[in-house]
Amino acid sequence: MTKILLLENPHEVADKVFSDANVQVDRVDGALDENDLIKALQGYQMVGIRSKTNLNKRVFDECPDLVCAGTFTIGTNQIDLPEAAKHGVAVFNAPYSNTRSVAELAIAEIIALARQLPVRNSHLQNADWQKTAKGSHEVRGKTLGIIGYSSTGTQLSILAEAMGMKVQFYDLAKKLPIGNAKQCNSLEEALQGADFVSLHVDGRASNENMFTRVQMNQMKPGAKLLNLSRGFVVNLDDLAEALDSGQIGGCAIDVFPDEPRKNGEEFHSPIMGKENTILTPHIGGSTLEAQEDIGWFVAGKLCTYLQSGETVMSVNMPNLSLETTGNTKYRITLIHKNIPGVMAKINQLFSDAGVNIEGQVLGTNGEVGYVIGDISSEMPKAALDEISKFESTLSLRCIPIEGFVRDEETAVN
């Protein structure tokens, strides 16, 4: 039986999806360090993680049984995607399932910062009654600068405009504005005049420290900063100084450069204890609705890949699908090094073996190529053995198509 190891407690709906696909599910609470992870993954064909588990080159080197991996998150920077591809491991994520939850949290934090709720709450929790309107504002009519106008940024834009805010945004790509939002030509332009700035950028290496005292000084004095994207995007030492000086009038930070691996571990940050700040433990997408959607989506993608080889929405493989015909008996999937002549060699071997090809599709993605082929003949074991020996072969599978009864083993590793 195919087995999957789930770490960091993705929603239990995933267990049912895997069980229905005849996949054995085992769980580990929290994340594991590299050595423990490698030990735990021996004999597993699938792995599911969240943000604290790292799948790096050594993990892929020493876990040869892995066929696919899923991260129950939007981000994939905790996975070495090129190494996964080189080892024939398809990777899937959940790019859209928790965007609404993140956008709603950002709206809540914008209102809380505008009304100085962290300050008011702190006073009253310490028995200090301070009923005042000083420093408190409506968000209606204020300007929100969104940095990164992808799925979360656009949802936030819609919610903000519905509340009467003006929206201006900056993105590296040209994007179609939603509603009355305005695209800016530079990051500096998006910061200027904004009462609130919310960061929603991806985990690419070039985004590290993209927000330092330089960008903070370009903001309107007293403007509020939100980061619900990646922990390494904002220089927190610079932010602490900007909060102390009043250049930044408050902040809401949900992600940090160094985060505890498990609940209960000690946490430190230079912006702890600052006035009008909201610090949350990476919970932007942590709603029951979002986690259920993510669990269903990622588990479904992994099972679809396992059963059909479909790679639609994989983040490291060519995105391919192929419809079967009524005559299809077997589906052959091959992940290979992207070099010329692989398809020709496969077809020649199949031709020599008298194999009838019902359908075939090839895609390439950088250094990796992927082939899906359906055949209506009996399984060509000798031809598959030859293909598995190709220097270019990274992963080869032969999947029986439902409706045909066979006695022989069909998996080729």
Side-chain angles (χ1 to χ4, degrees):
M1 177 182 279
T2 301
K3 299 193 299 180
I4 184 167
L5 184 66
L6 297 179
L7 300 98
E8 304 179 71
N9 295 317
H11 195 280
E12 57 270 16
V13 72
D15 296 46
K16 184 179 187 309
V17 177
F18 290 122
S19 178
D20 289 346
N22 200 32
V23 175
Q24 176 183 317
V25 179
D26 296 311
R27 283 179 172 261
V28 172
D29 289 339
L32 295 176
D33 63 26
E34 186 179 271
N35 290 331
D36 290 338
L37 179 62
I38 290 170
K39 183 178 179 180
L41 280 176
Q42 298 308 307
Y44 284 87
Q45 294 77 36
M46 307 165 75
V47 60
I49 65 171
R50 293 179 72 184
S51 58
K52 299 295 187 298
T53 301
N54 292 311
L55 300 180
N56 57 26
K57 181 179 185 301
R58 184 175 165 229
V59 171
F60 293 119
D61 282 343
E62 300 192 26
C63 300
D65 295 325
L66 284 180
V67 172
C68 55
T71 174
F72 292 78
T73 61
I74 294 177
T76 58
N77 51 297
Q78 69 276 41
I79 304 175
D80 190 328
L81 296 178
E83 282 299 326
K86 290 176 185 177
H87 287 77
V89 177
V91 178
F92 298 86
N93 70 333
Y96 308 115
S97 297
N98 67 358
T99 54
R100 177 69 182 200
S101 295
V102 176
E104 285 190 6
L105 180 60
I107 287 291
E109 292 177 334
I110 288 170
I111 295 172
L113 293 173
R115 297 296 297 273
Q116 298 256 329
L117 295 187
V119 178
R120 305 291 176 254
N121 176 68
S122 177
H123 285 162
L124 207 54
Q125 292 284 1
N126 289 286
D128 181 14
W129 184 275
Q130 293 289 337
K131 179 176 169 59
T132 175
K134 183 179 179 181
S136 297
H137 300 276
E138 294 181 354
V139 299
R140 180 181 55 175
K142 303 301 185 294
T143 299
L144 170 62
I146 300 175
I147 312 305
Y149 202 67
S150 57
S151 53
T152 303
T154 54
Q155 287 227 21
L156 176 58
S157 178
I158 293 168
L159 295 176
E161 282 206 340
M163 298 184 63
M165 299 187 77
K166 302 172 185 176
V167 176
Q168 57 193 38
F169 69 90
Y170 174 69
D171 196 285
L172 291 175
K174 186 70 175 177
K175 295 293 182 72
L176 179 67
I178 304 295
N180 294 313
K182 170 194 172 185
Q183 180 160 19
C184 299
N185 294 317
S186 67
L187 174 59
E188 182 175 0
E189 181 185 347
L191 299 179
Q192 291 174 348
D195 301 286
F196 301 87
V197 172
S198 192
L199 308 180
H200 301 280
V201 299
D202 62 27
R204 69 186 69 188
S206 59
N207 284 334
E208 183 172 359
N209 266 337
M210 69 164 287
F211 224 84
T212 65
R213 62 169 54 90
V214 174
Q215 289 72 36
M216 295 171 199
N217 287 336
Q218 291 171 350
M219 291 172 61
K220 182 178 179 179
K224 318 298 191 297
L225 176 66
L226 292 81
N227 183 21
L228 293 91
S229 59
R230 302 293 187 273
F232 58 70
V233 169
V234 177
N235 185 306
L236 295 184
D237 290 323
D238 289 356
L239 179 56
E241 293 179 6
L243 288 165
D244 288 340
S245 70
Q247 174 61 25
I248 301 295
C251 70
I253 306 296
D254 184 54
V255 288
F256 302 87
D258 298 302
E259 298 180 356
R261 297 177 67 86
K262 296 180 181 180
N263 288 341
E265 291 185 0
E266 196 169 359
F267 169 76
H268 298 282
S269 174
I271 56 175
M272 291 173 64
K274 302 296 183 183
E275 190 170 80
N276 204 28
T277 60
I278 303 171
L279 308 185
T280 50
H282 204 147
I283 58 168
S286 295
T287 62
L288 293 177
E289 294 87 351
Q291 291 307 303
E292 182 174 356
D293 286 345
I294 291 170
W296 172 84
F297 183 85
V298 176
K301 283 296 179 183
L302 292 174
C303 290
T304 297
Y305 176 71
L306 181 70
Q307 296 171 332
S308 72
E310 179 182 301
T311 52
V312 174
M313 296 189 72
S314 169
V315 292
N316 72 330
M317 293 289 168
N319 281 204
L320 300 181
S321 65
L322 180 65
E323 289 190 17
T324 60
T325 70
N327 297 322
T328 303
K329 291 186 176 182
Y330 294 98
R331 169 160 290 184
I332 313 299
T333 68
L334 173 67
I335 302 172
H336 61 88
K337 297 176 185 176
N338 185 15
I339 59 176
V342 173
M343 183 75 89
K345 291 170 67 177
I346 293 171
N347 289 340
Q348 186 61 56
L349 282 170
F350 282 174
S351 177
D352 293 343
V355 172
N356 186 39
I357 299 174
E358 290 287 318
Q360 195 175 59
V361 61
L362 164 70
T364 60
N365 181 9
E367 298 182 4
V368 173
Y370 184 49
V371 178
I372 302 176
D374 288 348
I375 62 176
S376 57
S377 313
E378 289 304 317
M379 185 177 62
K381 291 184 177 180
L384 293 177
D385 287 341
E386 285 298 314
I387 295 171
S388 68
K389 295 174 185 176
F390 287 176
E391 184 181 351
S392 59
T393 294
L394 300 173
S395 174
L396 174 65
R397 292 194 298 144
C398 181
I399 304 168
I401 300 302
E402 185 176 351
F404 287 89
V405 179
R406 307 166 184 83
D407 296 324
E408 69 269 40
E409 173 63 41
T410 59
V412 178
N413 296 316

